[in-house]
Amino acid sequence: MRREKSTAGGGLRRSARRALLRPLRHLLSAVAAIGLVLGALIALPGVSQAAGSLPCDIYGAAGTPCVAAHSTTRALLSSYNGPLYQVTRASDGARADIGLLSAGGYANAAQQDTFCQNTTCRITKVYDQTSRHNDLTPGPAGTSGMGADRGADASEIAVTAGGHKVYGIWISPGVGYRYTGVASGVAVDGQPEGAYMVASGTHVGSDCCFDYGNAESTPADTGNGHMDAVSIATTCYFAPCTGSGPWIEADMENGMFQGDNGSNTANRGNNSPFVTAVLKNDGQTKYALKGGNSQSGALSTWWDGGLPTRAGYRPMHQEGGIILGTGGDNSNWNRGTFFEGVMVAGYPTDAAENAVQSNVVSVGYSGETDVPNGPQGTVTGPDGKCVDVAADDTGTNGTAVQLWDCQNWAEDQHWQHNADGSLSTIGRCLDIEGNGTANGAKVELWDCNGVGGQKWVQQADGSLLNPQSGRCLDSPSGATANGTRLQIWDCNGSAAQKFKLS
């Protein structure tokens, strides 16, 4: 059944897991950073990006170089001209790297559209744009009890950046990415670091964990201070909290910290469609959290002070893994939408972070970020309920297909009507148990295999016909309660068989 999982107890706890020259260098670094800020502040949204002005250029010039840079929308350093991400086609398992329209520019979404035409694709790798090759792939199972992650549907969420169509990464329960092991250059054992991501402030939840940043080298909770990841969620882990979020938080393992020692009522949250979420941590005594609207304005500083005094956080014990969309122990129950993010070595200056925010604003991100808007659409049935897969976006072979209240963010309520007549969601097809044809045969989710039990044709009277059986998709006795398991039955034109493809 589709419901929010409690964040009390185990859910987040498991996861939610040279001396003379030095002043001169510091002075020069500060001057350079101020120059970067002034240059960024006069930037205007447009379809191109100036060389030397992208986030990793800015951080590098300020003495805190990027050690990881991930995005499906654009280059994050001006010299980059490689692939952003890899997609894998469901129809034949073929793979393609999706690159840029030009060096230092925006993603070539048309390349993905052509490759994935008439089938579905998953994002199976997110390339690191630095020279360190800290690429992310779907994560392995962890000690949270969840299975291995799947890659995101590549066409689930399209937005505009720099005047171009681009795709984000739609994170649903069961979707997530990881660099397992110690990533090159990423902070370990109390070293300073910083990170930011651009994510949705509207496609969010309270479950564990929509994180980006430093995590355990293996998918297991190894204790307080072993993570240092930025998060945006509606998780009030340490009460009291101000408002209902979502808040920019620091997942430092076994707690989502809004500032101070956990609770921080000065953190008022960020709920714009695109949010810049910033975290930095010196690894020893202090950390800071900032948030801003990625479409306009400056960053707000929600916390700039001491690390938690709870045991294990002074100093930090980072392990140098990287996660995206999950917790450190692979807790992958939350949801979110990711567009770009970097991790840097060292403790970034405020000037550099302000310049990065100005660059992000200059991109001109636009579009809805809380509704899947690819080739999928909803299938509504009796009483306006949606055709839904049990198990909250994580359905495997044999999972029941049912009626449920429509939720705009639910990936498994968005179906693609494919050229072969099948209806697919979360990588599988609407199927009849045992490829059956008898009245009352239940429908389920199953790997798309082209059998007759996976063909569905919209009829003029509003029904969905399965040609092999000659019967229609049906709600038993016209029931409309959440969780009603769907079946096939003789076509009779009743309200129980009215299913509309959007």
Side-chain angles (χ1 to χ4, degrees):
M1 293 175 64
R2 182 175 308 284
R3 53 168 68 99
E4 292 289 328
K5 299 176 180 66
S6 173
T7 58
L12 273 168
R13 288 199 297 270
R14 290 194 302 268
S15 105
R17 290 109 268 350
R18 23 179 178 185
L20 291 176
L21 295 177
R22 186 176 297 117
L24 178 59
R25 289 203 306 270
H26 289 175
L27 177 60
L28 292 174
S29 177
V31 170
I34 291 169
L36 287 166
V37 174
L38 292 174
L41 287 173
I42 62 174
L44 295 173
V47 298
S48 62
Q49 299 182 165
S53 66
L54 304 189
C56 286
D57 304 314
I58 294 168
Y59 279 123
T64 50
C66 287
V67 294
H70 303 103
S71 178
T72 57
T73 65
R74 65 169 182 148
L76 299 175
L77 62 163
S78 57
S79 62
Y80 190 71
N81 197 23
L84 296 179
Y85 59 102
Q86 177 191 85
V87 295
T88 298
R89 199 160 53 194
S91 58
D92 58 3
R95 298 179 178 181
D97 287 341
I98 308 303
L100 296 160
L101 294 169
S102 61
Y106 294 92
N108 187 353
Q111 182 183 10
Q112 174 183 316
D113 291 340
T114 299
F115 182 78
C116 300
Q117 189 173 13
N118 296 324
T119 185
T120 59
C121 282
R122 292 206 170 274
I123 298 175
T124 46
K125 182 181 290 187
V126 186
Y127 288 98
D128 175 18
Q129 299 179 29
T130 78
S131 61
R132 295 179 178 275
H133 303 292
N134 291 324
D135 304 332
L136 305 179
T137 55
T143 57
S144 67
M146 298 295 288
D149 299 325
R150 69 182 189 273
D153 186 318
S155 62
E156 200 81 57
I157 184 73
V159 298
T160 299
H164 302 279
K165 174 186 176 181
V166 294
Y167 288 102
I169 302 178
W170 181 274
I171 301 291
S172 294
V175 174
Y177 298 85
R178 194 179 196 104
Y179 184 100
T180 303
V182 181
S184 174
V186 174
V188 295
D189 297 327
Q191 294 176 328
E193 66 181 337
Y196 88 87
M197 69 173 170
V198 174
S200 172
T202 54
H203 180 219
V204 294
S206 62
D207 292 326
C208 188
C209 293
F210 179 69
D211 291 352
Y212 174 70
N214 197 325
E216 288 91 345
S217 58
T218 59
D221 179 350
T222 53
N224 293 357
H226 285 247
M227 288 182 61
D228 187 30
V230 64
S231 179
I232 179 168
T234 56
T235 308
C236 181
Y237 193 87
F238 296 103
C241 302
T242 297
S244 56
W247 300 280
I248 310 302
E249 303 178 313
D251 188 347
M252 294 186 278
E253 193 57 281
N254 299 317
M256 304 296 290
F257 294 83
Q258 292 189 22
D260 197 14
N261 208 33
S263 173
N264 175 24
T265 56
N267 189 335
R268 298 183 176 276
N270 297 84
N271 61 2
S272 53
F274 299 86
V275 172
T276 309
V278 182
L279 167 66
K280 58 184 173 182
N281 188 331
D282 78 349
Q284 300 296 313
T285 62
K286 64 180 180 179
Y287 75 112
L289 286 166
K290 303 178 183 182
N293 184 339
S294 303
Q295 296 175 294
S296 65
L299 295 171
S300 297
T301 299
W302 298 127
W303 177 252
D304 188 357
L307 277 166
T309 57
R310 303 168 189 270
Y313 302 103
R314 294 189 178 193
M316 295 287 290
H317 306 281
Q318 313 102 306
E319 297 184 25
I322 303 175
I323 52 172
L324 169 58
T326 73
D329 60 356
N330 197 43
S331 292
N332 57 9
W333 298 296
N334 210 350
R335 60 185 188 268
T337 309
F338 176 90
F339 301 101
E340 63 178 76
V342 311
M343 300 171 66
V344 307
Y347 197 78
T349 64
D350 291 337
E353 290 168 338
N354 292 339
V356 168
Q357 166 66 358
S358 294
N359 173 258
V360 169
V361 169
S362 77
V363 168
Y365 276 113
S366 64
E368 288 185 301
T369 63
D370 60 341
V371 180
N373 60 7
Q376 306 89 347
T378 56
V379 182
T380 51
D383 199 31
K385 295 292 179 75
C386 276
V387 176
D388 173 277
V389 181
D392 200 7
D393 295 326
T394 61
T396 57
N397 280 341
T399 302
V401 175
Q402 60 188 12
L403 293 178
W404 201 272
D405 291 333
C406 296
Q407 299 163 322
N408 63 356
W409 45 263
E411 183 183 2
D412 61 7
Q413 290 184 0
H414 288 77
W415 300 80
Q416 181 167 325
H417 204 184
N418 302 303
D420 66 354
S422 62
L423 283 164
S424 60
T425 187
I426 59 174
R428 292 183 168 88
C429 279
L430 181 65
D431 178 272
I432 302 171
E433 281 189 343
N435 202 30
T437 60
N439 273 338
K442 303 299 184 184
V443 295
E444 62 183 358
L445 200 67
W446 200 269
D447 289 332
C448 301
N449 52 29
V451 300
Q454 295 183 356
K455 310 297 184 184
W456 304 93
V457 179
Q458 182 83 71
Q459 303 296 291
D461 67 353
S463 61
L464 272 177
L465 172 70
N466 172 243
Q468 175 176 270
S469 65
R471 294 184 166 89
C472 287
L473 186 66
D474 180 271
S475 176
S477 302
T480 60
N482 282 343
T484 297
R485 180 80 180 268
L486 299 178
Q487 62 181 12
I488 57 170
W489 198 266
D490 289 333
C491 299
N492 54 37
S494 69
Q497 295 184 353
K498 305 298 185 186
F499 289 88
K500 179 182 178 181
L501 295 173
S502 67

